[in-house]
Amino acid sequence: MPEEPRRVAPLDVDAVRTVQVGTALWAVALVVTFVFRDELKDADREWWIWACIAGFLLGLIGIVITTRRRARLVRQTRQRS
């Protein structure tokens, strides 16, 4: 009979750093699209600017959400101790 696989505990990751890095990358992409705005317009790809704006704004919302979640997790951990 095969051995039962071990259960792996989930990682306790708050994702704040991941969202911050992603948001920063969207900001860099936004700057790059502004630099190449004329070329994007000529290629009918000006919507890329709006995609970067949306990614950046959603990233800011994500930072708020994950930061609040991290604070809540810290409070819960302190209450258990």
Side-chain angles (χ1 to χ4, degrees):
M1 187 154 151
E3 187 177 324
E4 186 174 322
R6 296 180 189 161
R7 293 187 183 259
V8 178
L11 293 174
D12 189 12
V13 179
D14 59 22
V16 175
R17 179 62 49 101
T18 303
V19 176
Q20 288 171 338
V21 169
T23 304
L25 290 173
W26 278 115
V28 169
L30 179 59
V31 171
V32 170
T33 57
F34 273 128
V35 169
F36 294 103
R37 185 177 191 168
D38 292 334
E39 289 86 350
L40 290 172
K41 188 174 185 175
D42 292 342
D44 199 27
R45 303 242 189 269
E46 209 169 10
W47 63 269
W48 286 9
I49 296 170
W50 292 105
C52 293
I53 291 170
F56 178 70
L57 292 177
L58 288 171
L60 292 177
I61 293 168
I63 290 171
V64 171
I65 291 170
T66 55
T67 303
R68 288 182 180 177
R69 179 179 178 269
R70 176 171 54 187
R72 187 179 69 240
L73 291 173
V74 168
R75 280 193 310 270
Q76 289 174 351
T77 303
R78 287 182 184 161
Q79 288 175 352
R80 288 182 195 146
S81 298

